[in-house]
């Protein structure tokens, strides 16, 4: 059996899973948080065991070394020789990568060059890659968040701004969460019995959120855009707003455009409206206590999803299944219900309220028998896609 590590390196965090293939068993999963700090947190889970350590982890290389040491220390593997490959999540593949790719020196340079489009993400992804490369003499594969959406047509991915903004600066809709949209749409198509033609709308609702229209297995539209700030309302991100708000606030508040960008990325969305928290569980508590602001937050959140889903139903010419995934999509029954309640009148998409309330980690159908489309809850598994692509590309 092959053993592959899936890595998701952020600027101050590193998430990882070691999967055995082809069984898909997760031997260990974990996360290193607060990298760069004296009180960084290293947590791993394997079998029934959980280990958490708070200690100084000053850079990603130290984090990777700790992880690799832990693998043998806790006898998860007997030697590092057992690791066959590493798959890395890379946020931005630009127009260059419509598929995952083996990382060569040239690919590394391309990912670096694409940092201008994802200055917070691609450099962090590369730091993770370099740290693993130093320690493990195996093949490495990059799996891009943008790749799945490279099938969008120009009339969908272009913005109605001067065309040379696209040719000169690469300004267009790229879309993100592609690995997740790919995985859950593929699972949904299997759920439908693998029909030759299918129209699926996937709602990835986590801290970041995006919606994707998938026709016959291919992404034809998605709500995030040039950056992950666009689209629906999110935990702390505004999603789409009137762009004139930016220069207006620059002038009114006497701040830079960058600072307004920070407000839109970090202080908006559910946090901006609810004010007390961006965590959907806290908003649920507020709803249970009849807090008016929590109700407004939910209404705004659901409304934006419904506008997007409704538009995608028109673009697809119908819909066979609507899929909910990620933290809120998988767990937030109230959020799913609020979205589907608003879709019912126009589209007869009908949620089975009782089935929707049942908690489960399994893919499931929560629509009624008479609903015009299936409503599916499908736990996402981006790590599995990363590992599958790694195995495929490296012929493991
Ligand atoms: P990301 O990967 O984008 O950081 P996740 O997919 O983990 O995010 O989703 C995080 C969101 O999921 C948070 O808003 C959190 O409140 C929400 N969430 C997690 N568990 C639950 C739950 N049981 N009920 C409602 N929301 C939940």
């Amino acid at each position: 059996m092959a053993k592959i590590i899936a890595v998701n390196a952020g600027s101050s965090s590193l998430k990882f899973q070691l999967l055995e293939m082809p069984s898909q068993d997760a031997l260990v999963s974990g996360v290193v948080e607060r990298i760069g700090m004296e009180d960084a947190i290293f947590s791993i889970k394997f079998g029934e065991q959980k280990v958490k350590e708070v200690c100084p982890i000053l850079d990603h290389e130290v984090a990777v070394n700790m992880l690799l040491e832990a693998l043998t220390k806790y006898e998860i593997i007997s030697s590092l020789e057992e690791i066959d490959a590493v798959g890395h999540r890379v946020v931005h593949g630009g127009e260059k990568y419509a598929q995952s790719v083996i990382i060569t020196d040239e690919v590394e340079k391309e990912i670096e060059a694409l940092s201008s489009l994802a200055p917070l993400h691609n450099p962090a992804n590369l730091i993770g890659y370099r740290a693993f490369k130093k320690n493990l003499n195996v093949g490495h594969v990059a799996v891009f968040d943008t790749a799945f959406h490279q099938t969008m047509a120009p009339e969908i991915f272009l913005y109605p701004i001067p065309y040379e903004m696209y040719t000169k600066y690469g300004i267009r809709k790229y879309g993100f969460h592609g690995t997740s949209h790919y995985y859950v749409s593929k699972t949904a198509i299997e759920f439908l019995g693998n029909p030759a033609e299918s129209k699926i709308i996937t709602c990835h609702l986590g801290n970041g959120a995006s919606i994707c229209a998938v026709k016959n297995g291919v992404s034809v539209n998605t709500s995030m855009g040039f950056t992950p700030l666009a689209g629906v309302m999110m935990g702390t991100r505004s999603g789409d707003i009137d762009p004139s708000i930016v220069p207006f606030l620059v002038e009114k508040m006497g701040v830079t455009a960058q600072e307004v960008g920070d407000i839109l990325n970090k202080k908006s969305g559910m946090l901006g409206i609810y004010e007390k928290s961006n965590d959907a569980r806290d908003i649920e508590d507020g709803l249970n206590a009849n807090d008016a602001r929590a109700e407004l937050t939910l209404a705004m959140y659901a409304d934006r999803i419904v506008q997007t889903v409704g538009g995608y139903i028109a673009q697809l010419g119908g819909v066979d299944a609507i899929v909910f995934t990620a933290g809120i999509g998988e767990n937030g029954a109230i959020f799913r219900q609020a979205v589907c309640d608003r879709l019912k009148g126009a589209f007869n998409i009908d949620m089975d309220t009782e089935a929707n309330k049942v908690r489960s980690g399994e893919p499931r159908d929560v629509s009624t028998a008479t609903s015009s489309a299936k409503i599916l809850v499908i736990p996402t598994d981006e790590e599995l896609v990363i590992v599958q692509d790694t195995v495929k590309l490296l012929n493991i």
Side-chain angles (χ1 to χ4, degrees), residues 234-251:
M234 310 181 208
T236 63
R237 291 177 225 158
S238 62
D240 292 344
I241 57 163
D242 181 343
S244 300
I245 293 171
V246 177
F248 183 87
L249 285 180
V250 164
E251 203 179 312

Side-chain angles (χ1 to χ4, degrees), residues 42 62-75 80:
F42 177 87
V62 178
V64 170
N65 280 327
M66 257 184 99
L67 158 67
L68 296 175
E69 266 171 40
L71 293 180
T72 46
K73 182 164 121 194
Y74 295 108
E75 295 174 357
L80 293 182

Side-chain angles (χ1 to χ4, degrees), residues 7 15 55 78 85 99 120 126 151 165 209 212 227 237 278 283 297 299 323-324 350 355 368 370 377:
V7 180
K15 289 188 201 144
C55 58
S78 51
Q99 239 105 57
L120 299 178
L126 276 178
T151 42
M165 305 280 144
C212 183
T227 72
R237 291 177 225 158
N278 65 300
I283 293 159
T297 307
V323 182
F324 289 94
D350 194 18
T368 62
T370 55
V377 181

